Amino acid sequence: MSIEERLEAINVFLNETRSFEPPPAFRRQANVRDERVYRDAATDPEKFWSRFAEELIWIKKWDRVLEWKPPYAKWFLNGKINASFNCVDRWAKSNLRTKKAIVWEGEPGEERTLTFGDLYEEVNKCADALKNLGVKKGDRVALYLPMIPEAVVAMLACARIGAIHNVVFGGFSAESLRDRINDSQVKVLITADGGYRRGKAVPLKKAADEALENTPSIEHVMVVKRVSCDVQMKPGRDHWWHDLMAKAKSECEPEPMDSEDILYILYTSGTTGKPKGIVHTTGGYLTGVYATSKWVFDLKPDDVYWCTADIGWVTGHSYIVYGPLANGATVFMYEGAPDWPQKDRFWKLIEKYKITIFYTAPTAIRAFMKWGTEWPASANLTSLRLLGSVGEPINPEAWMWYHKHIGHETCPVVDTWWQTETGMILITPLPGIVTTKPGSATKPFPGIGASVLNEQGKQVKTGGGYLALTKPWPAMLRGIYGDPDRFMSQYWSKWKNIYFTGDGAKIDQDGYLWLLGRVDDVLNVSGHRVGTMEVESALVDHPSVAEAAVVGRAHEIKGEAIAAFVILKEGIEKSEDLSKELKEHVAKKIGAIARPEDIIFAAEVPKTRSGKIMRRLLKNIAEGKVLGDTTTLADPEVIHRLKQQSEEEG
Ligand code: PRX
């Protein structure tokens, strides 16, 4: 969508006049109380970031803070550091040894707690087990796991020995897993027999086996027993996690990593059919997520912090694992669905574990709103002191509901904007000092250069435009794995030496930023990025489909839902069954998150004279704004007429 369309769609935000000052009780105890942090960070960003870096433990201190050769930045040059040491050893070897690091509840209700001491032991053993499988510094290890503590252990174990983790969300299909393994030439896969979701054991090893039929680089597979379902174990290749852990040594030296050594690769969708492997390195990334966890979430020693994201997304990486643990925080993790066995599961968890900080996505909030206030009202939520939102624009009504029914009007709400590529939160309120406005992510974090620019790269003082990042930041991506050209063209070619986010934004008279969603061919479905081209490729892969065009349409809960216009091959008849089959086909090819909400059979896809799909028209059709009854789209005359109309309207 263009900026104008985004602005139009989001007009409601522009009239929002409510604002909320930080509650005085919160302000008094906040980690940041002095507004001068913004000015100081802007005056000397290198000094600002190095102060945070100094709070981490380095094996060898850096000799230069930043080298910026656009589009490549290096942070804390020649510093040596280990991320696992900073998240685990540092606390396990202090008086926090017995402090809870991870508190976990499985969907069926079992509980597990790992103190920093326990986490130390598990991470060391897993690191040793990986070494025993031949994993060395720089090797890639893929993780395809449910939300269980082993996922955190495995990530930290990789970081410990300098192996690069490549976590693949457990909801992705076998094919998606295979492509991600092959793109980064993964040596070892860590998976589980399955995980629980809405009372059912979802098989993961089965999907992994399917992926592994075509992954020549894989040498070994470690399998966590979670649901005890039947699995095939290939002799020589597949090993049970518990067997390897039992044999492993409980000490494994952390590898001294260069600040710029790769910590992980994480794939995310872009504007082509092929996901991009976003590369993050060690020292700058850890500094960025450490700093933002401390200041945005206001972490304190007694907090019990819960981020509901899956470990397979960047939010899980930065704000379940590296950020909070580098702060020595207690992290709560839950395996399953929010409505299992009832729609109050999250609220009961908050009550039971006395969660103090809760970080979730607008999609979830909108679902909670729909389910009704009686569910949160039935639980004691008084332990909460801060609420966060991430992943997609939050509409003011959802923000207000969250503030009122979950935060009881006493918790600051931090709406945090960032991306897989940015690694860390970049636009957010600081909860002790920034007045919030429902629907606005407010201001750039101190030290961050973010502006709204027009097409020509000129700064927009008030009004709408493209969100751009004008200065390097420590956790920024260092590239797309194996594809420097795409890195350049995707992010750095719109304006010189300025990072293009792909998002539209509006800046108001107070300098507050209002995020408007993507302006490229990327959809945001329930806070998850899905590329239109990926879905289109999955559809044309079906034998009945000749052509497909995918657009996002407004959806009450998901924010955006996928509408697919499909042209069938000669002689194939449209039917309800075929529609279902196509939806299933996409889910099988990519994963359930990409399953189209609507399949609309059409005689042709309307294109401009230059051959570009008329996405705006398709979106309007999908949203019922033109043509109430889409079944007539199978008539070429109708398409022709719509196209003409749309061209006349300009
Ligand atoms: O469009 C923005 C939206 O999510 C995109 C990034 O998606 P992903 O890399 O999957 O990371 C999601 C979690 C950080 C952005 O380009 N987005 C993320 N947070 C917000 C948001 N849009 C509006 N407000 C937010 N707080």
Side-chain angles (χ1 to χ4, degrees):
M1 271 208 283
S2 68
I3 298 289
E4 292 72 32
E5 287 165 317
R6 282 278 164 215
L7 280 167
E8 198 184 300
I10 235 116
N11 233 345
V12 53
F13 282 33
L14 312 184
N15 305 323
E16 183 54 56
T17 53
R18 290 168 285 200
S19 68
F20 296 88
E21 284 188 8
F26 189 95
R27 185 194 281 266
R28 277 195 294 277
Q29 60 79 62
N31 285 347
V32 189
R33 272 168 280 187
D34 187 343
E35 284 164 29
R36 277 176 302 190
V37 292
Y38 285 101
R39 200 192 55 205
D40 294 349
T43 314
D44 193 347
E46 291 190 22
K47 188 164 152 204
F48 174 75
W49 292 118
S50 35
R51 283 226 182 104
F52 284 110
E54 277 158 14
E55 293 177 24
L56 300 173
I57 311 276
W58 293 75
I59 300 160
K60 175 182 167 285
K61 198 176 166 178
W62 60 93
D63 45 38
R64 213 173 135 196
V65 178
L66 170 67
E67 178 193 280
W68 177 220
K69 291 188 181 155
Y72 292 100
K74 289 184 179 163
W75 283 87
F76 308 112
L77 286 85
N78 300 318
K80 305 276 178 230
I81 188 166
N82 184 284
S84 134
F85 182 93
N86 275 278
C87 293
V88 186
D89 306 33
R90 178 177 187 178
W91 315 116
K93 299 209 163 150
S94 74
N95 56 1
L96 299 187
R97 183 174 177 79
T98 52
K99 178 178 174 175
K100 291 171 183 172
I102 304 217
V103 180
W104 173 86
E105 188 166 302
E107 198 188 65
E110 6 22 342
E111 291 168 36
R112 271 171 72 188
T113 298
L114 274 79
T115 61
F116 278 103
D118 299 333
L119 186 63
Y120 177 86
E121 196 169 320
E122 295 293 300
V123 169
N124 273 272
K125 282 200 287 190
C126 182
D128 188 60
L130 287 171
K131 273 192 164 172
N132 294 339
L133 293 178
V135 177
K136 295 190 190 64
K137 180 178 170 184
D139 286 342
R140 272 78 59 214
V141 174
L143 274 58
Y144 186 57
L145 286 165
M147 281 292 285
I148 52 178
E150 284 80 358
V152 180
V153 169
M155 284 166 79
L156 292 167
C158 289
R160 191 166 195 87
I161 60 172
I164 298 169
H165 58 70
N166 169 358
V167 184
V168 181
F169 169 55
F172 275 127
S173 66
E175 280 191 39
S176 296
L177 174 62
R178 181 200 62 199
D179 293 348
R180 285 158 172 77
I181 289 176
N182 287 339
D183 190 73
S184 55
Q185 293 292 293
V186 169
K187 199 165 175 179
V188 169
L189 169 69
I190 305 180
T191 186
D193 52 356
Y196 287 104
R197 190 80 191 173
R198 294 213 170 78
K200 280 203 206 86
V202 181
L204 277 173
K205 176 64 165 63
K206 205 162 143 253
D209 285 339
E210 213 183 307
L212 296 179
E213 280 168 20
N214 243 316
T215 52
S217 61
I218 290 282
E219 293 174 11
H220 293 283
V221 182
M222 253 174 114
V223 187
V224 180
K225 191 175 246 174
R226 163 68 188 124
V227 296
S228 298
C229 61
D230 271 349
V231 291
Q232 301 281 328
M233 297 291 277
K234 189 171 168 182
R237 186 193 71 181
D238 300 352
H239 318 269
W240 286 109
W241 168 284
H242 52 262
D243 287 342
L244 297 187
M245 292 289 274
K247 281 186 229 139
K249 292 205 267 304
S250 52
E251 292 283 338
C252 177
E253 273 294 297
E255 186 75 29
M257 300 296 284
D258 187 87
S259 179
E260 281 300 325
D261 278 338
I262 300 180
L263 177 61
Y264 67 81
I265 304 171
L266 182 61
Y267 284 81
T268 188
S269 293
T271 49
T272 72
K274 192 172 169 275
K276 320 174 262 199
I278 301 300
V279 173
H280 283 294
T281 57
T282 310
Y285 173 81
L286 201 62
T287 303
V289 297
Y290 166 77
T292 43
S293 297
K294 184 170 174 178
W295 279 21
V296 178
F297 299 122
D298 194 56
L299 281 173
K300 300 278 178 355
D302 294 335
D303 276 314
V304 184
Y305 163 91
W306 182 16
C307 162
T308 67
D310 191 279
I311 212 101
W313 308 108
V314 75
T315 309
H317 286 55
S318 299
Y319 298 109
I320 294 178
V321 184
Y322 292 108
L325 294 178
N327 276 279
T330 298
V331 173
F332 175 73
M333 271 174 90
Y334 166 61
E335 177 186 37
D339 53 355
W340 188 265
Q342 289 204 105
K343 295 186 167 68
D344 59 356
R345 184 66 181 270
F346 274 18
W347 319 126
K348 289 285 184 261
L349 290 170
I350 290 176
E351 176 180 292
K352 179 170 171 193
Y353 294 97
K354 300 196 168 49
I355 306 292
T356 58
I357 301 169
F358 180 64
Y359 189 35
T360 196
T363 291
I365 299 168
R366 289 189 292 261
F368 302 144
M369 285 170 80
K370 195 159 183 200
W371 295 343
T373 50
E374 60 274 26
W375 298 105
S378 71
N380 179 352
L381 304 181
T382 49
S383 56
L384 287 172
R385 65 181 198 89
L386 180 91
L387 302 177
S389 170
V390 61
E392 52 185 319
I394 182 164
N395 46 310
E397 286 331 300
W399 195 104
M400 287 302 298
W401 188 92
Y402 196 31
H403 169 69
K404 182 162 180 211
H405 296 285
I406 309 304
H408 296 115
E409 299 178 357
T410 56
C411 300
V413 175
V414 289
D415 172 15
T416 62
W417 178 93
W418 58 296
Q419 308 179 306
T420 306
E421 291 88 339
T422 71
M424 61 189 265
I425 293 169
L426 295 190
I427 301 176
T428 176
L430 289 178
I433 55 177
V434 174
T435 297
T436 50
K437 301 185 189 185
S440 166
T442 75
K443 312 197 228 186
F445 188 83
I448 297 300
S451 298
V452 177
L453 303 183
N454 68 12
E455 194 66 43
Q456 290 71 40
K458 208 170 161 286
Q459 196 174 341
V460 174
K461 291 274 184 314
T462 52
Y466 301 105
L467 181 69
L469 303 169
T470 53
K471 281 197 293 205
W473 63 99
M476 70 195 283
L477 78 167
R478 300 300 198 261
I480 295 177
Y481 195 73
D483 202 345
D485 294 343
R486 193 173 176 192
F487 174 59
M488 193 66 206
S489 64
Q490 178 81 53
Y491 306 107
W492 304 96
S493 61
K494 201 169 175 73
W495 311 289
K496 195 169 182 318
N497 300 345
I498 290 177
Y499 174 95
F500 174 48
T501 60
D503 277 31
K506 182 203 170 236
I507 185 156
D508 70 16
Q509 62 289 353
D510 301 325
Y512 275 51
L513 293 161
W514 303 75
L515 279 308
L516 306 176
R518 306 286 308 192
V519 292
D520 53 8
D521 291 334
V522 173
L523 307 178
N524 191 327
V525 182
S526 305
H528 299 140
R529 256 159 91 162
V530 180
T532 49
M533 292 266 284
E534 280 176 76
V535 183
E536 286 163 4
S537 321
L539 283 165
V540 295
D541 171 78
H542 189 278
S544 304
V545 177
E547 209 184 330
V550 164
V551 294
R553 68 154 171 88
H555 188 278
E556 197 193 343
I557 296 193
K558 297 178 176 180
E560 225 168 12
I562 300 176
F565 290 78
V566 169
I567 301 151
L568 295 173
K569 285 191 181 150
E570 278 292 319
I572 308 275
E573 288 295 314
K574 62 175 186 173
S575 69
E576 253 319 288
D577 283 349
L578 182 55
S579 170
K580 272 199 205 125
E581 196 180 312
L582 293 180
K583 289 180 187 175
E584 256 339 283
H585 186 73
V586 176
K588 174 135 192 8
K589 294 281 295 182
I590 305 175
I593 53 160
R595 181 188 278 116
E597 190 86 9
D598 316 308
I599 297 279
I600 301 160
F601 294 109
E604 61 175 286
V605 171
K607 294 200 182 120
T608 59
R609 275 182 215 103
S610 59
K612 273 184 85 175
I613 296 174
M614 299 170 82
R615 291 190 190 272
R616 182 182 186 172
L617 172 62
L618 292 181
K619 188 177 158 62
N620 285 341
I621 296 172
E623 289 178 349
K625 290 185 187 145
V626 283
L627 201 80
D629 175 14
T630 53
T631 56
T632 56
L633 275 184
D635 179 352
E637 262 312 299
V638 175
I639 304 249
H640 192 68
R641 188 164 45 77
L642 285 172
K643 215 175 118 171
Q644 262 181 346
Q645 254 174 23
S646 166
E647 273 169 352
E648 279 159 22
E649 285 161 14

